[in-house]
């Protein structure tokens, strides 16, 4: 039952109907995997059945029902007020008390929570009102839906809400997911009708019913996070970033004896490897996947990092595992295996699942109790060209100097670059034209707008094209607000949140294997420290990830940040189209996307037989493959008559 392999939590109203909904949740297992269930000595405000923990309302009815397979649930009651944190490790009761006690309102509690490292969902009850939030980075998200009897229910998993409310799939949202990049605010379009996503940086408040009334008012969103102003120097920002990375790594793996890291040889994974080493595990396993490309530099730099780490006498036991290139699956391998996880949405990284599964399986085989990756580093530290739009407003000479260096590196023509720099289109106007049927230039295109303009694929049907363009136009017509008024900061934050969504697939694969996987760079404190640095110092066409390099000085040996290159795996993707052409042909035979009228299955079958077609060079097929495999999993996630715990089993 794919949908039940994952963790989830549900927040319920304090009512008889809410209690009944708890009895409709997936049946708990007899025992909790990896010993992650709450302690059997939990206070009377909680109950544990198998691997499901229930935290109660003051009435004794279920308030938060959580199935935390790899994450940990921490909770504390003080009278009728309560705080629940779901994150990488249990938060000590003394810390919870320091957060909750004296917090008279939501703002006061948020100020205390701002000091907490790690990636947490926060569920709180203050003065009778429940409020829920995820993270500003978007890795932890909140969804809500209206149940016919119980009213508003909330969860971190839209599929759970869809099951509880009987929601059907939304073809418009499904069509959008066939694009490679889904910009804000369209990324919030949930795949099921009637299920809604609360925006990253926003929380969801669930008011209680007024005295003498039967139903509570509807939910409302509130903003709890604002990006910091870019005021810090590189030196000050580097110190803050270094502290934030170290704190996030400790929050995930501090105190564990055996951990693992993906060591690709790039700066991001190298930084996290040395940050993990500093937590003092007894054994640290480092995993590198060798590249088929003989010009690849990843393995060389990974070996250098291991040699440098071995040079310290206080180093933990290090084991470097190099996975031979011929052991690594090509992209599009074992597509049927995606049925093992029901992601919240189709993700373009799905065709690489077999590669990720291999890496995490090898990490798990070492006895690792937690695995760290450098995901998020590119989005945070490389710096996107759009940021020069922001710099141009305050410091046009510096902006043009930097942009000239970038322009010569990327081959941008002078006049188009000037035109793009001086463009003042509003966000809604850009959004209305962000998709087109015309092919997009692959190179020499200045990227200085609110995002990336995308082409509709030639195998999309007219129906799909109409749905997609209407979604964009509708969002523009509603005067969609950007994440930030400055387009560079808008694009930076949107890129981080897009990457966080993609990383969710990695987390879910780890959950299937039984190995927690973390990307500490998606910690809100890391994001804030990065955005707080002045633009002219944070990004540069002449330095590679200068902020990260300075932040890790003294942690990462000086010789390792000298690398300024990055390997790519585009050849493995193209070769995967040839190696796995039969599987792709099987995928388009009886295509579910075709059944929904979104793709031309005959066109896709022809492309499967012509893996080196110019069409596939110009247009990526990965998002379409992801949509097809996700749709098959979603349609078969639960049996027709799911077995559910009885009301007495769910009762406190």
């Amino acid at each position: 039952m794919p949908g039940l392999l994952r963790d989830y939590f549900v927040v319920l109203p304090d009512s008889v109907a809410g209690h009944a909904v708890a009895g409709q949740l997936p049946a708990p297992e007899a025992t909790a995997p990896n010993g992650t269930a709450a302690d059997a000595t939990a206070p009377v405000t909680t109950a544990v059945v198998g691997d499901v923990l229930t935290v109660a309302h003051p009435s004794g009815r279920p308030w938060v029902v959580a199935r935390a397979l790899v994450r940990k649930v921490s909770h504390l009651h003080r009278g009728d007020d309560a705080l629940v944190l779901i994150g990488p490790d249990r938060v000590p009761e003394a810390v919870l008390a320091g957060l909750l006690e004296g917090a008279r309102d939501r703002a006061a509690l948020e100020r205390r929570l701002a000091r907490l490292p790690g990636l947490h969902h926060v569920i709180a009850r203050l003065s009778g009102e429940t409020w829920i939030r995820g993270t500003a980075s978007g890795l932890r998200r909140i969804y809500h839906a209206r149940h016919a009897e119980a009213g508003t229910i909330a969860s971190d998993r839209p599929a759970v809400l869809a099951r509880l409310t009987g929601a059907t799939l939304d073809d418009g949202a499904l069509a959008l997911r066939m694009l490679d990049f889904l910009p804000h605010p369209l990324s919030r379009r949930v795949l099921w009708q009637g299920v809604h996503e609360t925006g990253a940086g926003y929380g969801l408040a669930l008011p209680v019913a007024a005295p003498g009334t039967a139903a509570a008012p509807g939910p409302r969103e509130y903003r709890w996070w604002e990006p910091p102003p870019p005021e810090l120097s590189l030196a000050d920002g580097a110190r803050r970033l270094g502290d934030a990375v170290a704190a996030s790594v400790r929050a995930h793996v501090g105190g564990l004896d055996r951990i693992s890291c993906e060591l690709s040889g790039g700066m991001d994974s190298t930084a996290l490897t040395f940050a993990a080493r500093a937590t003092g595990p007894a054994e640290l396993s480092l995993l590198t996947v060798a590249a088929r490309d003989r010009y690849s530099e990843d393995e060389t730099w990974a070996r250098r990092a291991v040699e440098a780490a071995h040079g310290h006498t206080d180093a933990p036991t290090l084991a470097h595992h190099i996975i031979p290139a011929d052991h690594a699956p090509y992209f599009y391998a074992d597509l049927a295996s995606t049925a093992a996880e029901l992601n919240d949405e189709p993700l373009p990284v799905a065709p690489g699942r077999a590669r990720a599964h291999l890496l995490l399986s090898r990490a798990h085989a070492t006895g690792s109790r937690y695995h760290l990756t450098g995901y998020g580093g590119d989005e945070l530290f490389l710096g996107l060209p759009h940021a020069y739009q922001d710099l141009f407003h305050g410091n046009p000479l510096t902006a043009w100097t930097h942009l000239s260096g970038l322009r010569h590196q990327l081959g941008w023509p002078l006049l188009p670059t000037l035109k793009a720099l001086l463009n003042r289109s509003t966000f809604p106007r850009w959004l209305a034209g962000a998709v087109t049927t015309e092919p997009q230039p692959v190179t020499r295109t200045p990227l200085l707008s609110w995002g990336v303009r995308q082409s509709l694929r030639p195998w999309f049907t007219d129906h799909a094209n109409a749905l997609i363009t209407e979604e964009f136009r509708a969002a523009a017509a509603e005067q969609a607000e950007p994440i930030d008024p400055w387009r560079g900061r808008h694009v930076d934050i949107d890129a981080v949140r897009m990457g966080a969504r993609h990383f969710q697939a990695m987390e879910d694969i780890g959950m299937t294997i039984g190995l927690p996987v973390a990307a500490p760079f998606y910690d809100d404190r890391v994001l804030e420290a990065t955005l707080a640095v002045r633009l002219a110092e944070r990004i540069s066409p002449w330095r590679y990830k200068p902020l990260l390099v300075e932040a890790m000085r003294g942690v990462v040996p000086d010789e390792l940040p000298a690398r300024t290159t990055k390997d790519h795996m585009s050849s493995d993707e193209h070769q995967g189209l040839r190696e796995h052409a039969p599987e792709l042909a099987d995928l388009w035979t009886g295509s579910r996307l075709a059944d929904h009228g979104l793709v031309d299955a005959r066109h896709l079958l022809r492309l499967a037989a012509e893996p080196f077609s110019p069409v596939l060079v110009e247009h990526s097929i990965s998002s379409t493959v992801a949509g097809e495999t996700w749709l098959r999993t979603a349609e078969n996630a639960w049996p027709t008559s799911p077995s559910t715990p009885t009301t007495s089993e769910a009762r406190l």
Side-chain angles (χ1 to χ4, degrees):
M1 205 178 297
L4 304 190
L5 290 174
R6 302 180 39 188
D7 63 351
Y8 64 83
F9 69 80
V10 179
V11 182
L12 301 168
D14 188 6
S15 65
V16 173
H19 193 171
V21 170
Q24 299 167 15
L25 287 166
E29 301 293 335
T31 57
N34 301 324
T36 57
D39 197 303
T41 60
V44 293
T45 51
T46 65
V48 181
V49 178
D51 55 15
V52 175
L53 167 70
T54 300
V55 183
H57 282 287
S59 66
R61 296 189 184 101
W63 175 43
V64 180
V65 180
R67 185 176 193 243
L69 298 183
V70 296
R71 292 188 290 159
K72 304 299 192 324
V73 181
S74 308
H75 49 88
L76 182 72
H77 286 71
R78 285 294 182 264
D80 287 348
D81 294 343
L83 177 63
V84 178
L85 299 178
I86 303 176
D89 200 1
R90 286 196 177 89
V91 179
E93 184 171 326
V95 175
L96 292 173
L99 294 169
L100 185 59
E101 292 174 356
R104 303 302 180 193
D105 55 25
R106 189 169 60 229
L109 183 55
E110 284 291 1
R111 286 193 293 271
R112 290 166 166 80
L113 288 166
R115 301 190 294 267
L116 188 69
L119 290 146
H120 294 85
H121 275 105
V122 178
I123 309 161
R125 184 175 60 238
L126 292 174
S127 302
E129 181 183 70
T130 289
W131 57 274
I132 317 153
R133 70 158 171 86
T135 59
S137 68
L139 185 58
R140 302 287 173 249
R141 299 186 294 277
I142 296 296
Y143 302 86
H144 64 95
R146 184 161 187 81
H147 189 276
E149 288 81 30
T152 299
I153 55 178
S155 177
D156 62 331
R157 301 298 191 185
V160 173
L161 296 178
R163 183 188 189 210
L164 292 173
T165 61
T168 56
L169 287 169
D170 186 319
D171 280 355
L174 185 59
L176 285 172
R177 292 319 193 283
M178 296 193 300
L179 298 174
D180 286 341
F181 307 102
L182 196 54
H184 166 87
L186 291 166
S187 54
R188 290 178 55 184
R189 285 280 281 112
V190 181
L191 273 295
W192 286 276
Q193 296 182 19
V195 181
H196 308 280
E197 180 182 326
T198 300
Y202 286 80
L204 186 71
L206 304 175
V208 294
T213 62
R220 66 177 188 277
E221 289 191 3
Y222 63 89
R223 187 161 191 165
W224 64 271
W225 184 83
E226 295 276 359
E231 299 173 340
L232 297 181
S233 67
L234 181 64
D236 290 341
R239 282 191 291 272
R240 183 178 295 185
L241 175 61
D243 291 343
V245 170
S248 185
V249 170
R250 284 195 305 271
H252 286 91
V253 301
L256 295 180
D257 56 346
R258 306 178 77 176
I259 61 177
S260 57
C261 292
E262 179 181 357
L263 179 59
S264 69
M267 183 58 196
D268 304 327
S269 65
T270 301
L272 285 181
T273 292
F274 282 88
R277 173 184 165 278
T279 65
E283 183 174 322
L284 175 59
S285 296
L286 307 175
L287 293 98
T288 303
V289 180
R292 292 182 172 87
D293 186 348
R294 63 191 179 95
Y295 297 107
S296 170
E297 297 182 312
D298 276 353
E299 185 180 338
T300 298
W301 283 95
R303 289 182 183 275
R304 290 178 184 175
V306 173
E307 290 172 4
H310 274 304
H312 295 264
T313 57
D314 60 341
T317 300
L318 291 177
H320 190 202
H321 304 270
I322 298 179
I323 301 173
D326 57 0
H327 288 194
Y330 287 109
F331 286 89
Y332 306 103
D334 197 15
L335 292 173
S337 65
T338 57
E341 301 96 25
L342 176 58
N343 297 121
D344 292 343
E345 59 192 272
L347 299 167
V349 296
R353 182 196 181 278
R355 297 174 68 96
H357 190 276
L358 171 68
L359 178 72
L360 294 181
S361 296
R362 296 289 180 90
H364 189 245
T366 68
S368 173
R369 297 179 60 193
Y370 225 117
H371 184 76
L372 299 183
T373 77
Y375 280 73
D378 285 346
E379 299 97 304
L380 280 167
F381 307 122
L382 269 179
L384 295 169
H386 310 72
Y388 291 115
Q389 276 270 10
D390 301 0
L391 187 60
F392 186 75
H393 286 282
N395 197 332
L397 181 59
T398 300
W400 182 247
T401 301
H402 282 228
L403 193 55
S404 294
L406 185 68
R407 184 174 70 83
H408 287 293
Q409 292 173 16
L410 300 178
W412 289 357
L414 175 61
L415 290 180
T417 302
L418 279 171
K419 182 179 179 182
L421 184 61
L422 297 173
N423 180 279
R424 294 294 177 265
S425 293
T426 64
F427 179 64
R429 182 178 177 184
W430 170 82
L431 193 62
V435 291
T436 175
T437 56
E438 300 297 322
Q440 293 297 305
V442 178
T443 60
R444 296 171 58 83
T445 305
L447 300 174
L448 297 172
S449 190
W450 291 98
V452 178
R453 197 166 185 242
Q454 299 179 79
S455 294
L456 299 169
R457 304 296 190 250
W459 54 83
F460 290 1
T461 63
D462 291 343
H463 177 55
N465 291 341
L467 287 174
I468 293 170
T469 53
E470 179 54 32
E471 291 279 355
F472 275 79
R473 288 171 183 163
E478 293 169 4
Q479 295 298 304
E481 294 281 343
I483 298 170
D484 191 277
W486 296 94
R487 70 175 63 180
R489 282 166 76 79
H490 164 87
V491 173
D492 277 345
I493 297 170
D494 202 22
V496 169
R497 291 174 177 173
M498 190 180 305
R501 287 177 180 272
H502 293 182
F503 177 68
Q504 181 207 71
M506 195 79 161
E507 287 187 310
D508 290 344
I509 295 169
M511 199 175 305
T512 303
I513 294 170
L515 177 65
V517 185
F521 287 147
Y522 287 126
D523 191 307
D524 287 350
R525 306 292 86 79
V526 174
L527 173 62
E528 290 166 351
T530 302
L531 294 175
V533 177
R534 292 193 288 262
L535 263 178
E537 299 179 62
R538 177 165 67 87
I539 62 173
S540 168
W542 304 289
R543 290 190 66 187
Y544 185 72
K545 301 184 178 180
L547 178 58
L548 182 61
V549 169
E550 294 302 320
M552 303 310 293
R553 196 173 294 281
V555 178
V556 175
D558 290 341
E559 64 269 23
L560 296 178
R563 183 182 184 185
T564 59
T565 59
K566 181 178 179 62
D567 287 349
H568 299 278
M569 294 184 291
S570 57
S571 60
D572 275 17
E573 179 167 356
H574 293 308
Q575 188 67 18
L577 291 172
R578 184 182 73 84
E579 292 287 331
H580 301 293
E583 294 97 317
L584 287 165
D586 288 343
L587 198 65
W588 308 128
T589 302
S591 165
R592 305 299 194 277
L593 287 174
D595 290 343
H596 283 254
L598 300 178
V599 299
D600 182 343
R602 288 178 295 179
H603 192 156
L604 288 166
L605 280 167
R606 288 196 299 272
L607 289 175
E610 302 173 8
F612 297 116
S613 165
V615 174
L616 292 175
V617 174
E618 184 176 341
H619 299 283
S620 170
I621 202 171
S622 60
S623 293
T624 307
V625 171
E628 180 69 34
T629 55
W630 182 91
L631 187 54
R632 294 181 180 214
T633 301
E635 289 180 344
N636 298 296
W638 298 288
T640 305
S641 301
S643 60
T644 57
T646 63
T647 303
S648 61
E649 286 178 314
R651 194 178 303 279
L652 293 177

